[in-house]
Amino acid sequence: MAQLEILVYPDERLRQISQPVIEVDDEIRSFISDLEETLSSLPGCVGIAAPQVGRLERIIIIDVSSRQHHKNHGHRVLINPLITFKEGDVVGREGCLSVPDYTGKVSRSKNIAVTAQNELGTHVKYEMVGYEARALQHEIDHLDGKLFIDSLVGKRNDLKKRTDF
Ligand code: NI
C-alpha cells in the first residue's frame, strides 16, 4: 500500500474525462488499496476520485460515516458509477482535496440512485440522500473533469478562503 500524491488545481489532469474500467482485476484492487490509504490519511475527507491522483479511470471512494446525523452506506468503492435517478435540488457548501484553500456553495440533487461495480466487480445499486448524495455527485464530477468551482451558486463568486470561517 502507498499514499498517493493529490493533484491540485489548476493541474490539467483534473480536467480530463476518465475512462471506464473494463475489468476489475487484482491490479485495479491494488490501486484501490492505495487510494483507500490515501483517503484515510486525510482527516475529514469524505471522498476521493481516481483522477485526483492522476489515474484517469472511473473509480471513486466515498465514506461520509464520520459526519454524524447523515444517513449513509458507510465506506463504498464505486467503479464506473452511473446516476440513474435524481430529484430535488439543494444548495450546500463543498470543499475539495484538489482545491485545498477554498469552499463554495453548489446546488446538487437531493435524492439519487446510482449503479456501479464494487471492488469485486459485482454490480451494485444504491439510493442516496442528502450529504452522501452530494459527496457522490461531487466525486462523479471529478470523473468528468469538473470541479466544484465550475458550478458555484450565486451571481457573485462565492468562494471562501477556508481560514475565513
Ligand atoms: Ni473533490
Side-chain angles (χ1 to χ4, degrees):
M1 298 239 293
Q3 286 184 27
L4 306 169
E5 184 187 350
I6 305 286
L7 304 184
V8 173
Y9 176 85
D11 193 302
E12 271 304 308
R13 287 168 287 180
L14 294 168
R15 294 308 196 175
Q16 306 302 308
I17 307 253
S18 290
Q19 298 301 307
V21 173
I22 304 300
E23 187 183 356
V24 182
D25 56 16
D26 285 345
E27 196 278 328
I28 290 282
R29 279 185 282 275
S30 173
F31 167 71
I32 289 170
S33 293
D34 291 344
L35 197 61
E36 287 181 329
E37 182 176 343
T38 305
L39 178 62
S40 65
S41 73
L42 300 158
C45 288
V46 297
I48 192 167
Q52 290 184 276
V53 296
R55 182 155 172 155
L56 299 177
E57 291 187 281
R58 303 187 79 83
I59 302 167
I60 67 178
I61 302 172
I62 64 166
D63 186 352
V64 305
S65 59
S66 62
R67 304 294 172 95
Q68 292 191 337
H69 313 304
H70 293 291
K71 192 175 171 189
N72 70 85
H73 295 84
H75 180 100
R76 285 289 181 273
V77 175
L78 292 103
I79 299 168
N80 303 327
L82 185 68
I83 292 176
T84 57
F85 170 83
K86 58 182 180 180
E87 70 174 4
D89 291 298
V90 60
V91 173
R93 188 165 286 280
E94 298 185 7
C96 180
L97 292 170
S98 296
V99 190
D101 295 333
Y102 293 91
T103 65
K105 286 184 183 172
V106 181
S107 180
R108 301 285 189 189
S109 297
K110 186 177 180 186
N111 304 309
I112 62 171
V114 59
T115 61
Q117 287 167 270
N118 65 17
E119 61 271 45
L120 301 175
T122 306
H123 290 269
V124 292
K125 180 175 180 177
Y126 301 108
E127 293 178 3
M128 296 184 177
V129 301
Y131 190 73
E132 187 180 43
R134 171 175 300 279
L136 182 86
Q137 289 167 84
H138 176 113
E139 298 309 332
I140 289 180
D141 271 0
H142 278 299
L143 304 182
D144 294 320
K146 297 181 200 160
L147 300 171
F148 79 89
I149 50 175
D150 302 332
S151 34
L152 296 173
V153 170
K155 286 178 183 162
R156 68 186 177 83
N157 198 326
D158 190 43
L159 279 180
K160 272 191 185 176
K161 272 278 205 186
R162 279 191 183 272
T163 50
D164 290 348
F165 68 98

